Amino acid sequence: MALDPSPLGRAIRAARAEEPPGWVNLAESIMARVRRVVVPSEPILTFTEQGTSTRDEEGSETFVSARVVSAALRRLLQEHPTHAPDTIELHVDEGRLTGIEIRLVARYGIELHPLADTLRPQILEIVRDLIGPAPGVDLSAIGIEYVDVTRGNPNRS
C-alpha cells in the first residue's frame, strides 16, 4: 500500500498515531469554544394527523430543532424580492410550538396587509410539513410585523 502524500493523508496518519502530549486538554479547550459559539436550539414536539405527539418504535416523543424550523421559514421569506425577514421568533412552551412572530422588511410600494395575508398560509404549511398539525398552531398564531421599508430588493440590502 502506497502512502498518501497529500496534506490530508499526512494529517490522518498523524491523528491515528500516538496521542500527542496535552491532546486531552487541547480537545477540551476546543470543544468549550465550540459550545460557546453554537447557540443551543429548543426542541419542538411533532404531531401526527390525529393531533397526538409523534412517537418512535420505543414510544419516545419525536422533536424537531427550532433552528430547522427557523431556517425553513427564512428560506421561504427570502424567495421574493418584495420582502425579507428581519427576525423570526418561535414561541415554545414545554416543547410545544405556541406561536410565531415574524418581523419583515418590505419593498416600498408593496401592499403590506395583503402580503401578510398571503404569507401566513405559506408559513403555516411549512410549519405543518416539519412538525405536523400542532394543536393551537393556526393562522392566528402567526404574527407579522413590518419593521422597515426599503427601495429595491430587501434581500440584498
Side-chain angles (χ1 to χ4, degrees):
M1 176 167 101
L3 290 177
D4 187 353
S6 72
L8 179 59
R10 288 193 308 269
I12 291 170
R13 282 194 309 281
R16 289 182 178 157
E18 257 178 61
E19 278 187 9
W23 170 248
V24 173
N25 293 336
L26 179 61
E28 288 174 6
S29 171
I30 291 169
M31 286 310 297
R33 290 178 187 185
V34 168
R35 287 184 193 105
R36 283 194 302 263
V37 171
V38 176
V39 178
S41 180
E42 210 164 352
I44 299 175
L45 190 60
T46 62
F47 291 88
T48 65
E49 290 299 322
Q50 293 75 31
T52 60
S53 62
T54 307
R55 297 186 181 267
D56 63 13
E57 299 82 37
E58 287 82 36
S60 298
E61 292 179 318
T62 305
F63 294 85
V64 172
S65 168
R67 189 177 296 134
V68 170
V69 176
S70 292
L73 294 177
R74 186 166 297 282
R75 282 190 300 274
L76 168 74
L77 296 169
Q78 290 175 327
E79 285 180 352
H80 299 284
T82 57
H83 56 278
D86 181 59
T87 59
I88 298 170
E89 187 177 337
L90 304 177
H91 299 284
V92 180
D93 184 26
E94 296 182 9
R96 292 175 180 253
L97 183 65
T98 59
I100 303 166
E101 295 296 326
I102 296 177
R103 289 168 194 80
L104 289 177
V105 176
R107 186 174 71 201
Y108 179 77
I110 297 299
E111 293 289 332
L112 302 180
H113 289 291
L115 176 59
D117 292 341
T118 300
L119 290 175
R120 278 190 191 89
Q122 295 172 10
I123 292 165
L124 185 59
E125 182 180 352
I126 294 283
V127 170
R128 285 191 172 158
D129 285 347
L130 292 170
I131 68 168
V137 178
D138 56 18
L139 294 177
S140 67
I142 303 168
I144 297 178
E145 176 184 357
Y146 294 97
V147 295
D148 199 3
V149 176
T150 184
R151 295 188 184 274
N153 184 343
N155 289 294
R156 298 184 189 192
S157 17

